[in-house]
Every structure is written in C-alpha cells, then in structure tokens.
Amino acid sequence: MPRHLKVADLVFLGLGSMVGTGIFTITGIGAATYAGPALTISIIISALAIGILALFYAEFASRIPSNGGAYSYVYATLGEFPAWLVGWYIIMEFLTAVSSVAVGWGSYLKGLLANYGLYLPTALNGTFNPKNGTYIDLLPIMVMLVVTGIVLMNSKTALRFNSFLVILKFSALALFIFVGLFFIDSHNWANFSPYGFGQVYGGKTGIFAGASVMFFAFLGFESISMTVDEVKDPQKTIPKGIILSLAIVTVLYIVVTMVLTGIVHYTQLTVSDAVAFSLRYIGLYWAADYVSIVAIFTLITVCISMTYALARTVYSISRDGLLPSFLSTLSEKNKVPQKATVIVGLFSMISAGLFPLSSLAEFVNICTLAYLIMMSFALIRLRKREGSPKSGEFKTPLVPYLPLFSILISVSFMSQYTLFTWVAFLTSSILGTLVYILYGYKHSKEKGE
C-alpha cells in the first residue's frame, strides 16, 4: 500500500471515529441516568483509562509497525490463538458499532423528514418485526452502501472526505458551545453528583458506572493504528495521531457536557438527540436544526472510520490464513482491500437493516475491553522478551505496573454490564473459537511454514 498519510490525516480519522454518537447522544443519557453533571468526572476517568491504553498502542505501533492493530500486536507477542480472539473481538466490536451507528443515522434522518411530512412505507421503515408490519430498515442499508463506496476509494480520498465531514461536525459543536454559554443556569449544577461515586465493581449508577458507559464514546481511537501500511514514518506518526486526537476529544466531551447540563437540568436529558434538544429547550430552533442536519453527516464519518478500520483488520487476519485468502487481495487501481471492504459493508448492511443494534453499546464495550486486557498482557510479554524500546521508538512508562492497573480498570468496567451482555459476549467467544478450530487452525500460514 502507498505510504501517503500524515499526522493530520490520522488525527481527523480518530476524531471521525470518536466524535459521533457519544457526544450527540450518550452525553445526555449518561448525565440523566448514571452520573448527573458529574458525568464530566466520568469522562475524565474514561479518558485516563483510554489514555493508558493509547500509550500501549503507541509503543506497539512504533515497535511492531504492522497492519491489523491489536490483532497484529498480540500475534507477535502471545501467539496465534490469542491473536485470533483479539481479531474476532475487533470484528464484533466494529461490526456492531458500524451497524448501530447506521441505524442511528436512519433515525435522525427519519426525524428530519417527518418534520416535512415525509415518511417511508411501513414495511421499509423498521427492523424485522412482522407484528408491527416492519421487515427491513431501508435507510441504514442505503447509508452503508454509500459508506462502502467511499471506503473503496483510494484511502487518501476517503480520509479527505472524512476530514471535511469532521470539520462540519466541529462547526456544529462550536456553535452549541458558543451559544450555550449565554444560557447556562448554575442552579442546574447545584446537585452536581446526584448518584454519588457508585461502585468500582458491579455498580449500576454513579460516576464509575458513567465512566463505563462513556468508554463507548472513545471507541475508534484504535482505528489509527490500523493505518500503519499507509503512513509515512509510522513509528513516530501513529503515536502522535493517537495522543493528539484523544486529547482533543477529551476536552471537547468535558466542555459539551458542562454546557449541556448547565442549559438543561440533567433529569430532562433522557433523549437521543441531547445537543439539539437542549437548543430547542432554550428556543433556538434554527441552531437545533443545524445541529440535527450536521449530526446526520457526523454519523457517516463514524461509519467511514470504522468500516475503514474493520476492512483492514479482516485483510490482516486473512493474510495470516485465519480467514479465506480472497479477503487479503488488493484492488489494482486504488490498492485497497476491496473484497474485505465489500464483505464488511455487506454484513453491516444486513445487520443494520434487520436488527435493532443501537441498544448494544454494552456489547461493543465488553468486546473491546476483552481484547484490551489481552493487549495489556501482550505489552508485558513484549518487554520481557525484547526489552525496552530502542532510541526513536515510543516507550510506555511504568511497565508492568501500568498494564496491570489497566487490566483492573477494564475488569471493573466489564463488571458494570448486565447479564444479557455477558451471555452475548460468551456466546460470541464460543462461536469465534469454533471458527478458529474448524477453519483458522487448519489454514494458518504459521502452521504451514
């Protein structure tokens, strides 16, 4: 693949992934249901947890510059089966996230069309539920068709389009923050932490439970490390891209949450369009409409970033023989993993069109936390085997203590989730193991060498 991506491209890719449904939706729900205005503290805790993991990614990216992100890093340190599980969890995470974002995009667009009296036929207006007369949700399928087409372009072109949409997204958030500052009522912050700190393990409300939910908002930062085959000087460029994008997103989430809970009392924020809702609440309908329209485009950037990353993960796993080899072929013109991208797009379309995945944020989180725990172990193993990074390579501080601390935080977040989420996660893990036993183990290139 041609090496033509720079730090700015990676920062925009990270912002495209992280600044989306989390900031437009989960901030309101998180404040209303989990932590109140103290959700800002939840965001800081989540950002610290992600920041520690970003340090691990940065060291791996500088020492093992290989496409596939966490999958490739674990493969090089812990071996094939752990790497397969990591790859499987990444596929589950991104596939579910892309599908749910596509469903959210469709919901925003339906709401906008409804304002003008425009509706789709009932049969094409919802996920599969014959009792309600709905069989397929057409709009999410259409957006995934467009997204797949964009990701099939030359990666530079696709990410430039993504960067344009990220700038548009930031214009809406800047408008919200600037206008909102004039309407803040400090009385709304009087009961700053109504649910308290909560429990470190097994809690359902409070600041720590809020942190486990806001973890979803930062997902996508790892997509940066999956661009390594297309980045100039990856040892330095990828760590910079990860750390810069994470710092920008953290500040943005904190400011938006403070303004949001300052304008509207947290108890009224149980809505799916919190930012637009708060602007309507203070009578600024023109600003709310602008934010709603931009939010529709915003969700496309998340789909582009995650589809891009997922296709390259599938490409890397296929290259090692653990998935069929046709998925690792590159297109002649654009040098992108064309077949992997089409397959990923197809499965996302089916999932978004038939299943109500928007409620599966916990499933996305638990899959992510599982492979991040494995990455923490992988970093400890890397240091034991290869020693400290060489001059010019990124070095994570306080190893092995920081990776062990990261494992404790990840387990704590996982303990906050429901029994249903755990059953879905364990079922997925068993299915992934069966795929490896029945196909991957036999076709592995490592076994054949």
Side-chain angles (χ1 to χ4, degrees):
M1 295 183 182
R3 295 189 178 276
H4 51 198
L5 303 181
K6 299 177 182 177
V7 173
D9 296 307
L10 301 192
V11 169
F12 276 107
L13 177 64
L15 296 179
S17 297
M18 289 186 278
V19 183
T21 44
I23 205 159
F24 285 102
T25 302
I26 297 178
T27 44
I29 293 169
T33 350
Y34 292 93
L39 189 70
T40 49
I41 301 173
S42 300
I43 291 165
I44 293 169
I45 293 172
S46 261
L48 287 173
I50 288 286
I52 292 169
L53 294 164
L55 294 176
F56 303 167
Y57 264 95
E59 179 167 331
F60 275 118
S62 69
R63 300 185 72 181
I64 309 174
S66 174
N67 209 323
Y71 162 77
S72 295
Y73 308 149
V74 172
Y75 203 123
T77 49
L78 299 181
E80 186 175 88
F81 180 63
W84 162 256
L85 280 180
V86 166
W88 181 258
Y89 291 143
I90 290 172
I91 291 170
M92 292 296 102
E93 171 207 349
F94 276 53
L95 187 63
T96 307
V98 169
S99 302
S100 60
V101 170
V103 171
W105 179 89
S107 300
Y108 265 97
L109 186 55
K110 286 173 195 173
L112 196 64
L113 293 173
N115 287 338
Y116 298 95
L118 300 172
Y119 301 92
L120 286 173
T122 304
L124 305 176
N125 201 31
T127 53
F128 187 76
N129 191 341
K131 288 182 181 178
N132 294 338
T134 59
Y135 291 90
I136 195 164
D137 205 355
L138 185 61
L139 289 180
I141 292 176
M142 289 174 64
V143 75
M144 280 312 305
L145 193 63
V146 172
V147 165
T148 304
I150 292 168
V151 177
L152 281 171
M153 295 177 186
N154 170 282
S155 61
K156 186 75 175 177
T157 306
L159 294 187
R160 274 181 180 165
F161 181 74
N162 182 67
S163 298
F164 165 73
L165 294 179
V166 169
I167 291 168
L168 192 64
K169 176 194 316 186
F170 271 73
S171 72
L173 292 172
L175 173 68
F176 168 72
I177 292 167
F178 177 74
V179 171
L181 288 173
F182 295 98
F183 292 89
I184 287 175
D185 181 356
S186 59
H187 290 98
N188 289 330
W189 295 331
N191 190 5
F192 188 73
S193 183
Y195 301 100
F197 188 80
Q199 295 173 256
V200 174
Y201 290 93
K204 301 302 175 191
T205 58
I207 289 170
F208 216 84
S212 72
V213 172
M214 290 311 295
F215 186 82
F216 178 81
F218 292 97
L219 296 185
F221 81 94
E222 66 271 37
S223 62
I224 294 172
S225 69
M226 296 173 193
T227 63
V228 70
D229 284 352
E230 299 160 272
V231 172
K232 294 179 180 178
D233 193 11
Q235 279 89 345
K236 294 179 181 177
T237 305
I238 287 180
K240 286 179 183 176
I242 290 173
I243 292 165
L244 279 173
S245 59
L246 191 61
I248 294 167
V249 168
T250 302
V251 172
L252 190 63
Y253 267 88
I254 290 170
V255 173
V256 167
T257 302
M258 287 300 290
V259 173
L260 190 64
T261 54
I263 295 174
V264 183
H265 196 266
Y266 72 91
T267 54
Q268 296 179 266
L269 288 172
T270 51
V271 291
S272 60
D273 57 345
V275 174
F277 169 82
S278 65
L279 290 170
R280 285 194 293 268
Y281 183 84
I282 55 177
L284 298 178
Y285 293 97
W286 61 272
D289 287 344
Y290 179 71
V291 167
S292 295
I293 291 167
V294 169
I296 290 169
F297 287 106
T298 292
L299 297 178
I300 293 179
T301 70
V302 179
C303 289
I304 291 171
S305 299
M306 289 194 168
T307 302
Y308 176 92
L310 178 54
R312 277 145 185 79
T313 300
V314 171
Y315 161 79
S316 296
I317 296 172
S318 168
R319 201 168 51 177
D320 292 328
L322 303 181
L323 285 173
S325 59
F326 73 88
L327 294 171
S328 59
T329 56
L330 298 177
S331 62
E332 289 184 16
K333 182 181 178 183
N334 292 327
K335 299 296 179 186
V336 297
Q338 188 175 43
K339 291 176 181 176
T341 303
V342 170
I343 293 291
V344 163
L346 184 63
F347 273 99
S348 298
M349 286 178 217
I350 293 169
S351 299
L354 295 179
F355 306 113
L357 293 173
S358 54
S359 62
L360 291 181
E362 285 192 2
F363 179 73
V364 176
N365 283 2
I366 203 168
C367 287
T368 308
L369 288 163
Y371 77 72
L372 292 177
I373 287 172
M374 295 170 77
M375 260 195 73
S376 300
F377 282 116
L379 183 62
I380 295 171
R381 178 70 182 274
L382 178 67
R383 286 291 187 91
K384 280 188 176 180
R385 200 174 70 186
E386 305 287 342
S388 294
K390 298 172 186 174
S391 177
E393 295 178 337
F394 186 89
K395 183 179 180 180
T396 303
L398 300 173
V399 175
Y401 305 108
L402 207 56
L404 291 172
F405 180 63
S406 169
I407 291 166
L408 289 175
I409 292 176
S410 298
V411 171
S412 168
F413 282 178
M414 291 172 82
S415 74
Q416 313 281 330
Y417 302 135
T418 62
L419 178 62
F420 174 81
T421 303
W422 273 97
V423 170
F425 171 68
L426 293 173
T427 304
S428 169
S429 300
I430 292 167
L431 181 61
T433 303
L434 287 174
V435 171
Y436 176 76
I437 292 169
L438 297 175
Y439 182 89
Y441 182 79
K442 296 175 183 176
H443 294 84
S444 165
K445 290 186 178 178
E446 187 181 73
K447 298 289 186 300
E449 289 173 355

